[in-house]
Amino acid sequence: MKTLLAALLTLPLLACGPASEPAPTETPAPSEALTEQSSELSSTAPRERSVRLRTGVTLRYVEQGSRNGPAVVFLHGYTDSHHTWDLNLSLFSRDFHIYALDQRGHGDSTRPVCCYTQQSFAADVAAFLDAVGERDAILVGHSMGSFIAQQVALDFPRRVEALVLVGSAPTVAGNEVALFLKSVVDEQVGTVDPVFVREFQSSTFVRPVPASYLDTLVSESLKVPARVWQDTLDGMLAEDHSSRLRHIRVPVLVVGGDQDGFFPVAQQQALVNALPDARYILYSNTGHAPHAELPQTFVRDVSQFLRRVSR
């Protein structure tokens, strides 16, 4: 299994513990320091809720911040849940009205027999905005969530104010790592092998992350049955909307790591080049999950972008 994962992602396995956060390769414009925002932060936990959507699924989500603030919807990656943002949410200003979703088939949301296409996930996001009374929102998506965010912007352009795409590319279609992952996932039956799940999650990081955080990610991925792993990955591989990215006219922040084993820098740059209004921040010595590997730096840079686009 370790040999298999080494071939899959060719990244060093996780070393748990604290990590420093040097400046990104491209230094962004000056922003408010987190210490200067401390008066805006609250120690109260996000509120956990569920909502039934017109698309037929019930989504579990967490909500925090001012109801009068800009709506920001966080979309997790493949087999993850809202817990992928556990190192980030407490750091965001409560001026933002944040929703972090468990998408269909994932976390504690319902797991329908079908459908797991990008269009189905995107329709859920639009239906979610209707259900909670939000006209539009800024979407923050990691990996799979970033492609769903792109799909929402293409299918429901009036519902999207801006995008933050983390660990992303123009498409998953034809991606060699994803195709190899499919060959492994397609062999799973029922509950996915826990050893594989831990190695899969660990291999997405280059920098250390807390052991408790990794344990949570593994537990959340183990909630996802093999059929959802398979159908979701098939949906990502089948959809290629890269030729339509020029139609996304809202401001976009692309955030990546220079050692991303899924989407290397060339693919990240191709995404930036395809978008009419995109800014790119690339973190050095960072893998596929910048939000987890550099949580404070990530929140600082994303907060600056959110404040700029929501004025």
Side-chain angles (χ1 to χ4, degrees):
M1 185 64 73
K2 288 185 181 296
T3 302
L4 183 62
L5 263 292
L8 176 64
L9 293 177
T10 61
L11 288 176
L13 290 181
L14 176 70
C16 297
S20 59
E21 295 195 2
T25 299
E26 176 184 314
T27 305
S31 63
E32 295 182 61
L34 289 176
T35 54
E36 294 174 354
Q37 298 178 5
S38 59
S39 62
E40 299 173 348
L41 301 179
S42 169
S43 61
T44 58
R47 302 176 293 278
E48 296 192 13
R49 305 182 187 278
S50 295
V51 62
R52 175 78 172 178
L53 305 183
R54 66 170 183 272
T55 54
V57 296
T58 298
L59 295 192
R60 188 71 170 171
Y61 66 99
V62 295
E63 180 182 4
Q64 72 178 42
S66 170
R67 293 186 180 276
N68 297 321
V72 186
V73 176
F74 283 74
L75 304 172
H76 60 75
Y78 179 59
T79 77
D80 289 334
S81 72
H82 75 268
H83 286 291
T84 196
W85 309 107
D86 278 357
L87 303 180
N88 311 119
L89 293 186
S90 66
L91 302 177
F92 277 102
S93 167
R94 293 315 194 259
D95 288 346
F96 301 119
H97 192 181
I98 287 177
Y99 304 91
L101 311 187
D102 288 355
Q103 298 176 87
R104 64 167 56 206
H106 294 69
D108 293 325
S109 293
T110 54
R111 315 187 197 289
V113 174
C114 87
C115 300
Y116 294 93
T117 64
Q118 288 185 39
Q119 289 84 358
S120 297
F121 283 106
D124 286 345
V125 175
F128 176 82
L129 293 177
D130 287 339
V132 297
E134 297 287 358
R135 183 182 63 182
D136 55 28
I138 301 166
L139 305 183
V140 181
H142 170 241
S143 193
M144 179 189 82
S146 75
F147 297 104
I148 295 167
Q150 294 173 33
Q151 193 72 49
V152 177
L154 291 169
D155 293 350
F156 307 95
R158 295 184 180 180
R159 310 307 298 271
V160 178
E161 186 176 359
L163 298 174
V164 179
L165 308 176
V166 187
S168 194
T171 184
V172 184
N175 183 279
E176 292 183 0
V177 176
L179 289 168
F180 190 85
L181 177 60
K182 174 177 167 58
S183 71
V184 180
V185 169
D186 282 352
E187 296 178 353
Q188 304 294 311
V189 178
T191 301
V192 176
D193 178 10
V195 175
F196 168 76
V197 171
R198 181 167 291 273
E199 292 182 346
F200 169 74
Q201 286 287 1
S202 298
S203 297
T204 62
F205 306 113
V206 170
R207 294 176 179 272
V209 301
S212 59
Y213 176 75
L214 175 61
D215 290 343
T216 297
L217 295 185
V218 171
S219 295
E220 293 298 298
S221 286
L222 286 172
K223 292 179 180 179
V224 182
R227 65 174 179 85
V228 176
W229 281 69
Q230 293 156 3
D231 291 350
T232 300
L233 185 54
D234 286 346
M236 287 192 288
L237 284 164
E239 172 62 30
D240 183 359
H241 55 229
S242 57
S243 64
R244 300 171 58 203
L245 292 175
R246 67 183 185 278
H247 298 302
I248 297 178
R249 300 292 179 178
V250 297
V252 182
L253 176 65
V254 176
V255 181
D258 66 350
Q259 296 186 41
D260 189 325
F262 280 94
F263 306 116
V265 173
Q267 293 184 31
Q268 298 174 39
Q269 186 65 60
L271 173 62
V272 176
N273 294 343
L275 294 164
D277 184 8
R279 183 187 172 198
Y280 184 27
I281 296 180
L282 180 65
Y283 297 114
S284 63
N285 301 314
T286 303
H288 185 56
H291 64 290
E293 299 176 61
L294 294 167
Q296 292 186 349
T297 303
F298 174 82
V299 170
R300 181 198 68 194
D301 294 339
V302 171
S303 294
Q304 178 188 352
F305 176 77
L306 295 180
R307 292 187 185 283
R308 179 172 68 82
V309 299
S310 60
R311 286 175 181 168

